[in-house]
PDB file of all heavy atoms in Angstrom:
ATOM      1  N   GLU B 117      94.925  80.106 153.813  1.00 97.00           N
ATOM      2  CA  GLU B 117      94.479  81.189 154.511  1.00 97.00           C
ATOM      3  C   GLU B 117      94.503  80.807 156.027  1.00 97.00           C
ATOM      4  O   GLU B 117      94.742  81.646 156.900  1.00 97.00           O
ATOM      5  CB  GLU B 117      93.007  81.448 154.155  1.00 97.00           C
ATOM      6  CG  GLU B 117      92.848  82.104 152.762  1.00 97.00           C
ATOM      7  CD  GLU B 117      92.979  83.624 152.700  1.00 97.00           C
ATOM      8  OE1 GLU B 117      93.605  84.122 153.639  1.00 97.00           O
ATOM      9  OE2 GLU B 117      92.403  84.259 151.761  1.00 97.00           O
ATOM     10  N   ASN B 118      94.121  79.537 156.386  1.00 96.00           N
ATOM     11  CA  ASN B 118      94.131  79.100 157.657  1.00 96.00           C
ATOM     12  C   ASN B 118      95.439  79.136 158.416  1.00 96.00           C
ATOM     13  O   ASN B 118      95.552  79.268 159.584  1.00 96.00           O
ATOM     14  CB  ASN B 118      93.434  77.751 157.883  1.00 96.00           C
ATOM     15  CG  ASN B 118      92.027  77.822 157.494  1.00 96.00           C
ATOM     16  OD1 ASN B 118      91.388  78.839 157.549  1.00 96.00           O
ATOM     17  ND2 ASN B 118      91.480  76.622 157.105  1.00 96.00           N
ATOM     18  N   ILE B 119      96.461  78.943 157.554  1.00 96.00           N
ATOM     19  CA  ILE B 119      97.815  78.886 158.157  1.00 96.00           C
ATOM     20  C   ILE B 119      98.425  80.259 158.322  1.00 96.00           C
ATOM     21  O   ILE B 119      99.240  80.479 159.291  1.00 96.00           O
ATOM     22  CB  ILE B 119      98.791  77.978 157.368  1.00 96.00           C
ATOM     23  CG1 ILE B 119      98.330  76.536 157.507  1.00 96.00           C
ATOM     24  CG2 ILE B 119     100.195  78.149 157.672  1.00 96.00           C
ATOM     25  CD1 ILE B 119      99.288  75.669 156.782  1.00 96.00           C
ATOM     26  N   TYR B 120      97.996  81.134 157.480  1.00 97.00           N
ATOM     27  CA  TYR B 120      98.522  82.492 157.448  1.00 97.00           C
ATOM     28  C   TYR B 120      98.754  83.156 158.830  1.00 97.00           C
ATOM     29  O   TYR B 120      99.839  83.624 159.186  1.00 97.00           O
ATOM     30  CB  TYR B 120      97.698  83.413 156.529  1.00 97.00           C
ATOM     31  CG  TYR B 120      98.135  84.829 156.585  1.00 97.00           C
ATOM     32  CD1 TYR B 120      99.328  85.221 155.952  1.00 97.00           C
ATOM     33  CD2 TYR B 120      97.410  85.780 157.296  1.00 97.00           C
ATOM     34  CE1 TYR B 120      99.761  86.531 155.975  1.00 97.00           C
ATOM     35  CE2 TYR B 120      97.866  87.142 157.291  1.00 97.00           C
ATOM     36  CZ  TYR B 120      98.960  87.524 156.706  1.00 97.00           C
ATOM     37  OH  TYR B 120      99.391  88.842 156.674  1.00 97.00           O
ATOM     38  N   PRO B 121      97.661  83.095 159.658  1.00 97.00           N
ATOM     39  CA  PRO B 121      97.764  83.779 160.980  1.00 97.00           C
ATOM     40  C   PRO B 121      98.906  83.150 161.841  1.00 97.00           C
ATOM     41  O   PRO B 121      99.529  83.915 162.683  1.00 97.00           O
ATOM     42  CB  PRO B 121      96.406  83.439 161.717  1.00 97.00           C
ATOM     43  CG  PRO B 121      95.457  83.120 160.611  1.00 97.00           C
ATOM     44  CD  PRO B 121      96.309  82.469 159.492  1.00 97.00           C
ATOM     45  N   PHE B 122      99.104  81.885 161.691  1.00 96.00           N
ATOM     46  CA  PHE B 122     100.264  81.269 162.501  1.00 96.00           C
ATOM     47  C   PHE B 122     101.567  81.803 162.034  1.00 96.00           C
ATOM     48  O   PHE B 122     102.578  82.021 162.786  1.00 96.00           O
ATOM     49  CB  PHE B 122     100.193  79.787 162.325  1.00 96.00           C
ATOM     50  CG  PHE B 122      98.966  79.232 163.042  1.00 96.00           C
ATOM     51  CD1 PHE B 122      97.900  78.794 162.265  1.00 96.00           C
ATOM     52  CD2 PHE B 122      98.895  79.083 164.416  1.00 96.00           C
ATOM     53  CE1 PHE B 122      96.682  78.322 162.907  1.00 96.00           C
ATOM     54  CE2 PHE B 122      97.790  78.559 165.079  1.00 96.00           C
ATOM     55  CZ  PHE B 122      96.633  78.193 164.284  1.00 96.00           C
ATOM     56  N   ILE B 123     101.765  81.939 160.673  1.00 96.00           N
ATOM     57  CA  ILE B 123     102.997  82.417 160.160  1.00 96.00           C
ATOM     58  C   ILE B 123     103.227  83.868 160.479  1.00 96.00           C
ATOM     59  O   ILE B 123     104.248  84.231 161.085  1.00 96.00           O
ATOM     60  CB  ILE B 123     103.056  82.378 158.587  1.00 96.00           C
ATOM     61  CG1 ILE B 123     102.744  80.902 158.113  1.00 96.00           C
ATOM     62  CG2 ILE B 123     104.328  82.903 157.979  1.00 96.00           C
ATOM     63  CD1 ILE B 123     102.663  80.814 156.577  1.00 96.00           C
ATOM     64  N   LYS B 124     102.160  84.590 160.474  1.00 96.00           N
ATOM     65  CA  LYS B 124     102.250  86.058 160.868  1.00 96.00           C
ATOM     66  C   LYS B 124     102.672  86.116 162.336  1.00 96.00           C
ATOM     67  O   LYS B 124     103.498  86.996 162.664  1.00 96.00           O
ATOM     68  CB  LYS B 124     100.877  86.666 160.658  1.00 96.00           C
ATOM     69  CG  LYS B 124     100.903  88.164 160.543  1.00 96.00           C
ATOM     70  CD  LYS B 124     101.455  88.638 159.344  1.00 96.00           C
ATOM     71  CE  LYS B 124     101.514  90.302 159.226  1.00 96.00           C
ATOM     72  NZ  LYS B 124     102.018  90.968 160.368  1.00 96.00           N
ATOM     73  N   LYS B 125     102.120  85.351 163.119  1.00 96.00           N
ATOM     74  CA  LYS B 125     102.259  85.353 164.616  1.00 96.00           C
ATOM     75  C   LYS B 125     103.728  85.086 164.855  1.00 96.00           C
ATOM     76  O   LYS B 125     104.404  85.714 165.706  1.00 96.00           O
ATOM     77  CB  LYS B 125     101.324  84.423 165.317  1.00 96.00           C
ATOM     78  CG  LYS B 125     101.276  84.575 166.794  1.00 96.00           C
ATOM     79  CD  LYS B 125     100.270  83.653 167.392  1.00 96.00           C
ATOM     80  CE  LYS B 125     100.329  83.767 168.892  1.00 96.00           C
ATOM     81  NZ  LYS B 125      99.354  82.644 169.545  1.00 96.00           N
ATOM     82  N   GLU B 126     104.307  84.063 164.258  1.00 96.00           N
ATOM     83  CA  GLU B 126     105.665  83.754 164.445  1.00 96.00           C
ATOM     84  C   GLU B 126     106.573  84.759 163.901  1.00 96.00           C
ATOM     85  O   GLU B 126     107.516  85.177 164.634  1.00 96.00           O
ATOM     86  CB  GLU B 126     105.955  82.425 163.685  1.00 96.00           C
ATOM     87  CG  GLU B 126     107.243  81.626 164.082  1.00 96.00           C
ATOM     88  CD  GLU B 126     108.482  82.124 163.157  1.00 96.00           C
ATOM     89  OE1 GLU B 126     108.314  82.990 162.186  1.00 96.00           O
ATOM     90  OE2 GLU B 126     109.517  81.626 163.431  1.00 96.00           O
ATOM     91  N   ASN B 127     106.248  85.306 162.795  1.00 96.00           N
ATOM     92  CA  ASN B 127     107.086  86.395 162.331  1.00 96.00           C
ATOM     93  C   ASN B 127     107.076  87.655 163.106  1.00 96.00           C
ATOM     94  O   ASN B 127     108.137  88.245 163.377  1.00 96.00           O
ATOM     95  CB  ASN B 127     106.651  86.758 160.769  1.00 96.00           C
ATOM     96  CG  ASN B 127     107.039  85.808 159.688  1.00 96.00           C
ATOM     97  OD1 ASN B 127     106.757  85.946 158.666  1.00 96.00           O
ATOM     98  ND2 ASN B 127     107.944  84.832 160.199  1.00 96.00           N
ATOM     99  N   ASP B 128     105.961  87.952 163.672  1.00 97.00           N
ATOM    100  CA  ASP B 128     105.798  89.074 164.517  1.00 97.00           C
ATOM    101  C   ASP B 128     106.626  88.905 165.758  1.00 97.00           C
ATOM    102  O   ASP B 128     107.206  89.805 166.367  1.00 97.00           O
ATOM    103  CB  ASP B 128     104.302  89.373 164.811  1.00 97.00           C
ATOM    104  CG  ASP B 128     103.514  89.984 163.691  1.00 97.00           C
ATOM    105  OD1 ASP B 128     104.234  90.418 162.737  1.00 97.00           O
ATOM    106  OD2 ASP B 128     102.375  90.005 163.716  1.00 97.00           O
ATOM    107  N   TYR B 129     106.511  87.644 166.293  1.00 97.00           N
ATOM    108  CA  TYR B 129     107.219  87.275 167.548  1.00 97.00           C
ATOM    109  C   TYR B 129     108.774  87.409 167.240  1.00 97.00           C
ATOM    110  O   TYR B 129     109.513  87.957 168.131  1.00 97.00           O
ATOM    111  CB  TYR B 129     107.011  85.889 168.025  1.00 97.00           C
ATOM    112  CG  TYR B 129     107.591  85.506 169.165  1.00 97.00           C
ATOM    113  CD1 TYR B 129     107.274  85.949 170.511  1.00 97.00           C
ATOM    114  CD2 TYR B 129     108.785  84.584 169.167  1.00 97.00           C
ATOM    115  CE1 TYR B 129     107.839  85.593 171.669  1.00 97.00           C
ATOM    116  CE2 TYR B 129     109.374  84.213 170.376  1.00 97.00           C
ATOM    117  CZ  TYR B 129     109.018  84.696 171.602  1.00 97.00           C
ATOM    118  OH  TYR B 129     109.600  84.484 172.726  1.00 97.00           O
ATOM    119  N   SER B 130     109.299  86.924 166.145  1.00 97.00           N
ATOM    120  CA  SER B 130     110.624  87.105 165.840  1.00 97.00           C
ATOM    121  C   SER B 130     111.048  88.555 165.716  1.00 97.00           C
ATOM    122  O   SER B 130     112.174  89.044 166.237  1.00 97.00           O
ATOM    123  CB  SER B 130     110.988  86.305 164.558  1.00 97.00           C
ATOM    124  OG  SER B 130     111.034  84.915 164.829  1.00 97.00           O
ATOM    125  N   ASN B 131     110.160  89.316 165.067  1.00 97.00           N
ATOM    126  CA  ASN B 131     110.445  90.761 164.910  1.00 97.00           C
ATOM    127  C   ASN B 131     110.589  91.374 166.270  1.00 97.00           C
ATOM    128  O   ASN B 131     111.410  92.274 166.594  1.00 97.00           O
ATOM    129  CB  ASN B 131     109.305  91.334 164.077  1.00 97.00           C
ATOM    130  CG  ASN B 131     109.640  92.682 163.497  1.00 97.00           C
ATOM    131  OD1 ASN B 131     110.644  92.736 162.800  1.00 97.00           O
ATOM    132  ND2 ASN B 131     108.917  93.703 163.720  1.00 97.00           N
ATOM    133  N   MET B 132     109.652  90.972 167.155  1.00 97.00           N
ATOM    134  CA  MET B 132     109.664  91.585 168.526  1.00 97.00           C
ATOM    135  C   MET B 132     110.947  91.198 169.236  1.00 97.00           C
ATOM    136  O   MET B 132     111.572  91.992 169.888  1.00 97.00           O
ATOM    137  CB  MET B 132     108.355  91.032 169.227  1.00 97.00           C
ATOM    138  CG  MET B 132     108.139  91.535 170.540  1.00 97.00           C
ATOM    139  SD  MET B 132     108.974  90.568 171.805  1.00 97.00           S
ATOM    140  CE  MET B 132     107.736  89.198 172.017  1.00 97.00           C
ATOM    141  N   LYS B 133     111.284  89.906 169.131  1.00 96.00           N
ATOM    142  CA  LYS B 133     112.577  89.465 169.795  1.00 96.00           C
ATOM    143  C   LYS B 133     113.760  90.182 169.253  1.00 96.00           C
ATOM    144  O   LYS B 133     114.700  90.500 169.962  1.00 96.00           O
ATOM    145  CB  LYS B 133     112.704  87.997 169.683  1.00 96.00           C
ATOM    146  CG  LYS B 133     111.715  87.163 170.518  1.00 96.00           C
ATOM    147  CD  LYS B 133     111.674  87.414 171.956  1.00 96.00           C
ATOM    148  CE  LYS B 133     112.954  86.878 172.716  1.00 96.00           C
ATOM    149  NZ  LYS B 133     113.017  85.448 172.883  1.00 96.00           N
ATOM    150  N   ALA B 134     113.732  90.558 167.889  1.00 97.00           N
ATOM    151  CA  ALA B 134     114.877  91.158 167.295  1.00 97.00           C
ATOM    152  C   ALA B 134     115.005  92.543 167.798  1.00 97.00           C
ATOM    153  O   ALA B 134     116.110  93.136 167.841  1.00 97.00           O
ATOM    154  CB  ALA B 134     114.627  91.222 165.779  1.00 97.00           C
ATOM    155  N   LEU B 135     113.878  93.149 168.174  1.00 97.00           N
ATOM    156  CA  LEU B 135     113.955  94.513 168.612  1.00 97.00           C
ATOM    157  C   LEU B 135     113.815  94.763 170.103  1.00 97.00           C
ATOM    158  O   LEU B 135     113.507  95.848 170.593  1.00 97.00           O
ATOM    159  CB  LEU B 135     112.750  95.232 167.871  1.00 97.00           C
ATOM    160  CG  LEU B 135     112.883  95.367 166.353  1.00 97.00           C
ATOM    161  CD1 LEU B 135     111.507  95.888 165.668  1.00 97.00           C
ATOM    162  CD2 LEU B 135     114.086  96.258 165.929  1.00 97.00           C
ATOM    163  N   VAL B 136     114.118  93.679 170.830  1.00 97.00           N
ATOM    164  CA  VAL B 136     114.181  93.833 172.321  1.00 97.00           C
ATOM    165  C   VAL B 136     115.188  94.985 172.613  1.00 97.00           C
ATOM    166  O   VAL B 136     116.308  95.012 172.162  1.00 97.00           O
ATOM    167  CB  VAL B 136     114.558  92.474 172.931  1.00 97.00           C
ATOM    168  CG1 VAL B 136     115.022  92.739 174.399  1.00 97.00           C
ATOM    169  CG2 VAL B 136     113.362  91.505 172.933  1.00 97.00           C
ATOM    170  N   GLY B 137     114.746  95.814 173.529  1.00 97.00           N
ATOM    171  CA  GLY B 137     115.573  96.917 173.985  1.00 97.00           C
ATOM    172  C   GLY B 137     115.634  98.160 173.174  1.00 97.00           C
ATOM    173  O   GLY B 137     116.231  99.154 173.402  1.00 97.00           O
ATOM    174  N   PHE B 138     114.760  98.045 172.033  1.00 97.00           N
ATOM    175  CA  PHE B 138     114.672  99.174 171.089  1.00 97.00           C
ATOM    176  C   PHE B 138     113.583 100.054 171.523  1.00 97.00           C
ATOM    177  O   PHE B 138     112.509  99.650 171.912  1.00 97.00           O
ATOM    178  CB  PHE B 138     114.367  98.690 169.664  1.00 97.00           C
ATOM    179  CG  PHE B 138     115.674  98.252 168.938  1.00 97.00           C
ATOM    180  CD1 PHE B 138     116.453  97.255 169.360  1.00 97.00           C
ATOM    181  CD2 PHE B 138     115.957  98.853 167.703  1.00 97.00           C
ATOM    182  CE1 PHE B 138     117.612  96.850 168.653  1.00 97.00           C
ATOM    183  CE2 PHE B 138     117.062  98.533 166.944  1.00 97.00           C
ATOM    184  CZ  PHE B 138     117.881  97.510 167.505  1.00 97.00           C
TER     185      PHE B 138
END
Side-chain angles (χ1 to χ4, degrees):
Chain B
E117 292 274 24
N118 290 341
I119 288 184
Y120 175 73
F122 294 100
I123 301 176
K124 199 70 177 56
K125 195 173 172 189
E126 193 267 0
N127 281 178
D128 287 348
Y129 181 75
S130 285
N131 201 54
M132 186 268 282
K133 291 301 290 287
L135 294 172
V136 161
F138 278 58

